[in-house]
Amino acid sequence: MSKSSVFSRPRLVVKKLLARAQNEGDGAVVRRSIGRPELQNLDPFLMLDEFSVSPPAGFPDHPHRGFETVTYMLQGAFTHQDFAGHKGTIRTGDVQWMTAGRGIVHSEMPVGPGTHKGLQLWINLSSKDKLVEPRYQELLHENIPKAEKDGVSVTILAGESMGVKSQIFTRTPTMYLDFTLKPGSEHHQPIPEPWNAFVYIVEGEGAFGSPDSTTPAHHCLVLGPGEGLSVWNKSSKPLRFVLIGGQPINEPVVQYGPFVMNTKTEIMQAYQDYQLGRNGFERARQWSSK
Ligand code: FJE
Ligand code: FE
């Protein structure tokens, strides 16, 4: 018998949701969990998409303002190009942490044949950070900290696990952990008490919060309050999932597609700035990706 939990107040699953495939961008397919009508946002998170894209599909030229996008490749490669001349390719295991701040216009397209897969997370910025200068943090797979113990391996994109810390700077305090559990293994991960947190299952199946009920891939599990998450892999196959947590911002969220601000007036301003090429969108009018 597996012990029930090492936490006196374990975080239990309060909401379970299947991320069904839907079309997005230009011919791309995404499984959206956070950001779908039943789960509009989980402060500070606005969206989590598991994307699956084969050329010529992709996410052609589009703007962002007021939040961060975190793109984590699971398979294949994606090239981004933006209106300020930034260009880069991320491959399996690499991560791009983009602070859109006051404004980015970019394209995100797969490179090479086959199916390209990954996760894109949108993290809100607090009102004081919404109009910061855009910034990129890009990490190659080999430079992302990892830890392993007793059949549990973890890649630490943000935050800390098993005594290992990420160097990514998160304007909104965030943890982003990618776990793989071998059959028969278990893990108990502390999560800061006031934070919201959720799990997205990438592969296999696991028991989350309590050992008696299991959940398969492509499900999102919202965690309730408590000290941390206990997880068990009681199946005969590896279990891979991401655990994402963040400090709530507790401010009003007004979203219009790729613009996320605090008020309707600010949204109208963002839309106008984009249309007219002002306040951070100066390069938007004459630019297009190659
Ligand atoms: C977007 C429609 C979109 N999920 N996952 C509307 F498709 C997008 C968008 C993405 C996206 C991009 C990648 Cl690389 C991965 C994604 C949606 O680009 F921003 C809006 N507003
Ligand atoms: Fe984008």
Side-chain angles (χ1 to χ4, degrees), residues 24-25 32 47 49 51 59 62 64 78 108 120 122 257-258:
E24 260 303 359
R32 183 160 298 167
M47 190 193 85
D49 277 1
F51 59 90
F59 304 94
H62 61 277
H64 293 281
F78 249 71
E108 297 158 285
Q120 189 170 88
W122 290 8

Side-chain angles (χ1 to χ4, degrees), residues 35 52 70 77 99 106-107 112 118 121 140 175 177 197 202 204 211 244 253-254 272 275 278 285 290:
S52 180
V70 181
T99 307
H106 69 172
S107 68
L121 176 69
L140 299 179
M175 69 157 36
L177 306 172
V202 173
I244 297 172
V253 176
V254 184
Q272 256 186 18
Q275 291 296 324
R278 290 180 183 160
R285 280 198 298 175
K290 292 186 199 73

Side-chain angles (χ1 to χ4, degrees), residues 61-62 79-88 96 104-109 136 287-290:
D61 308 7
H62 61 277
T79 291
H80 74 94
Q81 275 183 57
D82 84 1
F83 70 159
H86 292 107
K87 190 176 171 173
Q96 183 203 61
I104 290 263
V105 183
H106 69 172
S107 68
E108 297 158 285
M109 302 298 286
Y136 291 95
W287 180 82
S288 70
S289 61
K290 292 186 199 73

Side-chain angles (χ1 to χ4, degrees), residues 15 30 41 43 53 115 161 176 206 209 220 238 251 268 275 278:
K15 196 164 188 171
V30 303
N41 68 66
D43 192 7
V53 183
T115 308
S161 182
Y176 192 156
C220 173
E251 289 178 3
M268 283 158 54
Q275 291 296 324
R278 290 180 183 160

